[in-house]
Amino acid sequence: ASDDLIAGLLNRNGLKTGNGNRWTRERVTSMRSNYHIPVFKPAEDGIEPWLNLGNAAKLLKIAPKTLRLAAEAGEIESIHPLPDGPWILARTWLITTAAQTIAERARQNPKYPAGSHPAQQNLFSSIT
């Protein structure tokens, strides 16, 4: 991710630098330099190996909420490093059987396309 985005996410989650300062692009850049972390560069072929929740859901052709519920339930491998940060999924995780099962389940549930998680289906059936 860009240094600006990283700084914003760290600040939104209330994290401070070692000296107790808010994060800035310059401070993230300095941290990258100190720890030899490479700068973000978009993939040359345009196919990014890591996707946020929205882009991963588009790739699976399902609603982001469906994918988030599956990630929260541990049905699909995902990373959510900060409580108020993005969900991150590897492109390779989206071609697994688990991901395809989630997508198929969502497509077979036209009544609740955004909430096709089984626990949520039970909630809806008890309401209607």
Side-chain angles (χ1 to χ4, degrees):
S2 72
D3 291 352
D4 283 324
L5 178 62
I6 291 171
L9 289 169
L10 292 171
N11 288 327
R12 188 176 347 157
N13 282 273
L15 301 173
K16 305 281 185 186
T17 67
N19 292 327
N21 297 315
R22 290 182 51 80
W23 286 95
T24 63
R25 174 184 38 194
E26 293 78 12
R27 289 181 176 132
V28 173
T29 301
S30 176
M31 181 70 71
R32 280 189 195 275
S33 177
N34 289 340
Y35 290 94
H36 307 288
I37 300 169
V39 175
F40 170 74
K41 292 180 185 168
E44 289 181 18
D45 59 4
I47 300 174
E48 296 296 335
W50 297 97
L51 302 167
N52 65 21
L53 188 70
N55 290 337
K58 281 181 193 174
L59 194 63
L60 290 174
K61 298 180 178 147
I62 60 175
K65 182 178 179 182
T66 301
L67 188 54
R68 181 181 51 79
L69 289 170
E72 287 174 348
E75 294 179 12
I76 187 168
E77 195 169 353
S78 61
I79 302 169
H80 193 220
L82 297 169
D84 197 18
W87 284 88
I88 304 167
L89 296 98
R91 189 176 291 271
T92 56
W93 299 340
L94 302 177
I95 58 172
T96 64
T97 304
Q100 298 307 311
T101 301
I102 293 163
E104 187 59 34
R105 186 177 67 215
R107 287 186 204 103
Q108 290 178 355
N109 189 357
K111 191 170 183 182
Y112 304 105
S116 61
H117 186 270
Q120 199 168 28
Q121 288 175 2
N122 293 339
L123 174 67
F124 284 124
S125 62
S126 65
I127 295 171
T128 55

